[in-house]
Amino acid sequence: MSTLHGKIDIVPLGGAGGPWIGVQGFGAMGISEFYGDTDEAAARDTLEAALEAGVNLIDTADAYGHGANEEFLAPFLAAHRDEVVLATKFALERRVDDPAYRGINNDPAYIRKSVEGSLRRLGVETIDLYYMHRRDPAVPFAESVGTMAELVKEGKVRQLGLSEVTGPELREAYAVHPIAALQSEWSLFSRDVEHSAVGAAAELGVTFVPYSPLGRGFLTGSFADASKELTAGDYRRSQPRFSGENAERNAALLEPVRAIAAAHDATPAQIALAWVQQRADVHGLDVVPIPGTRKRVRLLENAAATRIKLSDADLAALEPIAGLVAGDRYPDMRSTSAAREG
């Protein structure tokens, strides 16, 4: 691990030889949908703040806003292409006329169509990190990852990533082509990736990129019941952990987070992020969480969490939380790695 003056620490993506990235990245999804309305000017300022802080891994997907998230990033990329390590994804199919629809497509022809669409919307010639957003077990990895590997040879993609796969699946894919990053949900509330994926990533030298490291905002302690405190268009209102008795039980789990935050003169969000960052030391691999925000002040707050070192006593107090969480992380868990664990 290295440090750039005045910025967060950096690590090589996918191990030696990979591009250097900050130990915290930026998840752009919420700029375009899911979390209510966006002030685009503030969001663009937040992207500038990310680079100022050394947060240079910018994560998007063709599914976010039906491509609108990639289009939103295009002007920023045009101005800062050499400073950004750009990640996007394929595999989630959506329908404008059916907002609830989520299909998964890993077919080679679809992958090629998807990468061309992302390159066009982003306004770039090459994608630095191209993820399979979700795995379709009906399509052999030799076909889907093999097609992704062809994109590397053609110069359309530099490195490959996977999302929500198990440890055995990661090893299977890696045998086809080196995988630089594994992106899956990992937080104080969600630790199922520790069953097999984290160990496999550490063994193979794959960078782990936790998404939703703040539990989709629940770990910030800013609200307790989504049905009462979030806008009608916020998709978290449909998440099992965010409403009713589940929300009440989960809100109570934040007491040790708040106590540790007070002791460190930090926020609960910073403690939750510091816990994720310290998984690197616990499991022996590079860990680069990608919290998302649309505000400069929150971006800088998140980045500051990389400087917080939790004590053994802090970690012990936080350890039981995940096992006590009420509700699954999605209403339908079938497309997650947890659903395919043996």
Side-chain angles (χ1 to χ4, degrees):
M1 183 182 295
S2 300
T3 302
L4 293 178
H5 180 68
K7 297 186 177 183
I8 64 175
D9 290 343
I10 56 175
V11 294
L13 176 61
W20 288 89
I21 58 173
V23 293
Q24 187 178 111
F26 179 82
M29 181 186 76
I31 291 173
S32 296
E33 63 174 332
F34 300 113
Y35 297 134
D37 295 335
T38 293
D39 180 331
E40 291 197 358
R44 294 195 185 283
D45 181 58
T46 300
L47 289 170
E48 297 290 341
L51 288 185
E52 293 166 14
V55 176
N56 66 330
L57 175 65
I58 307 298
D59 183 274
T60 182
D62 61 2
Y64 301 159
H66 303 274
N69 198 246
E70 291 180 326
E71 292 173 345
F72 178 85
L73 290 174
F76 174 74
L77 293 169
H80 300 287
R81 187 65 188 97
D82 292 342
E83 303 168 72
V84 171
V85 176
L86 170 65
T88 192
K89 316 178 193 72
F90 74 90
L92 283 185
E93 289 188 300
R94 300 182 63 191
R95 296 173 180 168
V96 176
D97 60 350
D98 183 2
Y101 177 79
R102 297 289 188 277
I104 301 176
N105 196 332
N106 292 171
D107 291 338
Y110 178 81
I111 296 172
R112 288 195 165 276
K113 178 182 177 182
S114 297
V115 76
E116 295 298 340
S118 288
L119 288 168
R120 183 182 66 254
R121 287 186 294 270
L122 290 162
V124 300
E125 296 182 355
T126 305
I127 295 164
D128 298 314
L129 176 60
Y130 199 44
Y131 284 104
M132 176 189 293
H133 207 157
R134 290 292 186 272
R135 168 90 199 276
D136 178 3
V139 180
F141 261 146
E143 294 182 15
S144 52
V145 179
T147 300
M148 295 169 71
E150 291 172 3
L151 301 180
V152 176
K153 292 180 181 179
E154 295 165 12
K156 296 176 181 178
V157 171
R158 290 195 174 92
Q159 291 181 292
L160 303 184
L162 300 172
S163 180
E164 288 285 352
V165 299
T166 66
E169 289 171 337
L170 177 59
R171 291 188 179 92
E172 182 183 351
Y174 201 100
V176 178
H177 187 279
I179 303 299
L182 170 57
Q183 180 178 145
S184 292
E185 186 167 352
W186 198 7
S187 73
L188 279 170
F189 268 17
S190 301
R191 298 179 61 177
D192 52 82
V193 292
E194 295 173 25
H195 181 76
S196 71
V198 171
E203 173 189 318
L204 296 169
V206 175
T207 300
F208 207 104
V209 180
Y211 73 80
S212 296
L214 293 173
R216 296 176 180 80
F218 206 114
L219 287 163
T220 67
S222 59
F223 58 87
D225 190 329
S227 63
K228 298 177 181 178
E229 300 172 55
L230 297 177
T231 61
D234 195 309
Y235 97 115
R236 290 173 293 183
R237 291 168 63 95
S238 67
Q239 301 300 297
R241 296 177 175 176
F242 281 75
S243 59
E245 294 182 2
N246 285 351
E248 292 181 11
R249 290 173 59 185
N250 294 336
L253 298 177
L254 299 182
E255 289 310 311
V257 181
R258 290 192 176 92
I260 294 169
H264 284 267
D265 193 23
T267 67
Q270 288 177 315
I271 298 305
L273 286 172
W275 180 89
V276 176
Q277 304 277 178
Q278 260 174 267
R279 298 301 91 192
D281 298 328
V282 173
H283 295 281
L285 77 169
D286 289 330
V287 177
V288 181
I290 49 169
T293 181
R294 294 169 289 188
K295 298 178 180 179
R296 171 181 280 264
V297 65
R298 293 290 178 239
L299 184 287
L300 297 177
E301 176 185 310
N302 291 344
T306 66
R307 306 297 189 196
I308 296 174
K309 183 72 172 179
L310 300 177
S311 68
D312 289 344
D314 293 335
L315 295 175
L318 298 172
E319 182 65 24
I321 290 177
L324 300 173
V325 172
D328 285 332
R329 50 193 178 95
Y330 290 107
D332 184 347
M333 290 284 288
R334 286 178 295 178
S335 66
T336 67
S337 59
R340 299 189 302 278
E341 290 285 6

